[in-house]
Amino acid sequence: MQLKRTFARSLGGIAAAAIMLAAFGGAEAMAASPRAAENKVVLIARQDPGTLDYVTSGLTAVRLWIPANVVEPLVYFNKDGSVDPGVAESWTISDDKLTYEFKIRKTNFSDGTPVTVEDVIYSLNTMKTSPVSDYAAAYNAVSAIEKVDDSTVKVTLSRPSQAFWAGMGGLPGLIQPEHAAADRATKPIGTGPYVLKSYTTNSSFEFEANPNYWGEKPSITSATVRVVTDGTAGLNALEAGEVDAVPVITIDLWEQLTNRGLDKKFTLVTYPQIGEPTYAVFNQKLDPELRKALAMTLDRQAFNDAYGASWGAENTCTFALPNRPWYEPENAESCPYPYDYEKATAEAAKFASTPLEYASLSDVPDLSLPADIMIPVMQGAGFNVTRNAIDLARYSQLIFQGRPPQFDITVMSGPDDPAQWACPSPDKAGWSTYCSQPYTDALAAADSAPTQEEYLAKMKEAAKILRDDAVIVPLIAKKGVGLFDPELKGFLEPRVLVAIELAKLHW
């Protein structure tokens, strides 16, 4: 589940690369979809976004369908590091990485109006002031966005920023027509391969191929995305041939998926972009040696086994997903406090008189399961842990809004943005409990790095600081998991954050 992301957006105003997956194969023979001959598809979505305003909402339910399909970024980043044109047909970057000039392609929005430099400037400025911190952060170093001529936009930075350039291929770089901004929440318009014909709350999205699209025309001429919040009902619809794919299957369905043999009957895909780290959180106020000792009770393989799908998760000590270049799977070098129950038991004796409250969710299976494993092990080692099981509503109020943090230990899943833990002053600590000047400085140095090589080196330094402090302690990296009709080809790992690119699909 996109739990932390969903919680965060609902509470506070509620947060790049691509490659074709291996050819679909290994699935049992099935009757052709009745939609194949018409080049149509029906997909399942588990959540309804309530609004399609991608500027003000960071919900995954919006990010999955509107970006890349309806509204495009200036550029597209590929998994191999190459960059493809989007709304910008070409670009130049100054040697000092302080000036970016984008040549805007001569094309139309889906409503037939031409894309102008003014629209691009409006779009970037709108994202710069977005209430979604992930989007606005891409513009932290931007000092000016201005028109050069009728086809060129110049962006000036006060310092080099990796986040800015990456953002131009993500949601911060999405381009919209200024004249249609008032209708963005219900009828977004862009330059993408599809037009959103209709959106019915808690029911469906209806997409049709954009006749004004500047690129290769999509094979799929129309797509319906049905909102089915009951995961079992979605799987049943796929098995009955009523739908053609469930691109996002949350972890609560993995065991069912395996037990029913659906991973063999249909094409199963895994991809990191829609995944999440699951991680223990130890309050920063706890003694560092206590945090480290608690970390040594965490048997990552036990958590992985509990979810019952080895293809769906990797053990890791790095707060990242496998598509992040600084990600490392669990190993001796990347885990400063590996599972060592004997040593943890010896250390626990030093802290036997320290009461520890474990705040756990009582009504979210994805997170109550790891708590069920974690708490008895900690107690068995001799730590004085008491469980406080609370429902989602109370957890959201107590934990996410608590100042200072109202727990000692908890477990969470959420987006893998490393910047979310940046906080130079401990008095600013929120639910994450993690405020570290060295970590915040390391992230700032990485963002200012002039080259990818230096950026990666700085991000590895930041990741090491986070690991060594034993406040945010990763357990597993859950992947995105989807099921597709065996005849439906062309699924591409998301390039614009988590967006499912309908135009790449074909029968």
Side-chain angles (χ1 to χ4, degrees), residues 9 12-13 51 62 73 88-89 94 108 117 121 142 183 189 202 226 236 303 314 345 357 370 373 458 476 491 499-500:
R9 305 310 177 198
T51 176
V62 176
E89 63 181 8
S94 63
N108 291 335
V117 164
I121 293 173
V142 172
D183 298 322
I189 291 174
N202 294 315
R226 294 181 185 169
N236 291 344
F303 298 106
E314 290 185 8
T345 300
E357 180 183 283
I373 298 170
K458 294 295 184 183
I476 59 174
F491 174 79
I500 304 298

Side-chain angles (χ1 to χ4, degrees), residues 328-379:
E328 292 184 71
E330 180 184 22
N331 59 62
E333 290 72 31
S334 67
C335 292
Y337 317 111
Y339 174 62
D340 189 333
Y341 197 65
E342 183 177 346
K343 188 173 181 180
T345 300
E347 291 294 312
K350 304 176 185 177
F351 303 101
S353 62
T354 303
L356 298 168
E357 180 183 283
Y358 191 117
S360 71
L361 277 158
S362 60
D363 55 352
V364 181
D366 286 17
L367 296 175
S368 59
L369 178 59
D372 291 342
I373 298 170
M374 198 181 300
I375 293 171
V377 173
M378 290 178 174
Q379 293 171 333

Side-chain angles (χ1 to χ4, degrees), residues 406-484:
Q406 304 296 304
F407 67 94
D408 296 307
I409 308 168
T410 191
V411 66
M412 188 44 59
S413 291
D416 74 330
D417 178 12
Q420 66 188 293
W421 312 120
C423 174
S425 175
D427 63 2
K428 303 294 185 183
W431 80 271
S432 69
T433 79
Y434 189 65
C435 283
S436 163
Q437 186 71 56
Y439 181 69
T440 302
D441 290 346
L443 289 178
D447 186 46
S448 298
T451 67
Q452 280 293 317
E453 292 75 17
E454 292 179 60
Y455 171 69
L456 177 56
K458 294 295 184 183
M459 288 304 300
K460 287 184 175 180
E461 289 178 15
K464 185 177 187 306
I465 293 170
L466 195 64
R467 283 197 296 258
D468 289 349
D469 278 356
V471 174
I472 310 301
V473 183
L475 305 172
I476 59 174
K478 295 179 294 186
K479 302 176 184 176
V481 175
L483 286 179
F484 287 76

Side-chain angles (χ1 to χ4, degrees), residues 93-100 137-143 155-167 441-452 454-455 458:
I93 305 172
S94 63
D95 292 341
D96 60 7
K97 303 297 190 294
L98 297 179
T99 303
Y100 291 73
Y139 295 89
N140 284 345
V142 172
S143 57
V155 180
T156 304
L157 278 58
S158 60
R159 58 170 174 79
S161 174
Q162 295 283 335
F164 169 74
W165 181 225
D441 290 346
L443 289 178
D447 186 46
S448 298
T451 67
Q452 280 293 317
E454 292 179 60
Y455 171 69
K458 294 295 184 183

Side-chain angles (χ1 to χ4, degrees), residues 60-83:
T60 302
V62 176
R63 298 179 181 195
L64 281 169
W65 309 111
I66 302 305
N69 292 314
V70 176
V71 187
E72 293 186 295
L74 282 174
V75 298
Y76 287 97
F77 288 100
N78 300 312
K79 190 172 185 177
D80 62 4
S82 61
V83 189

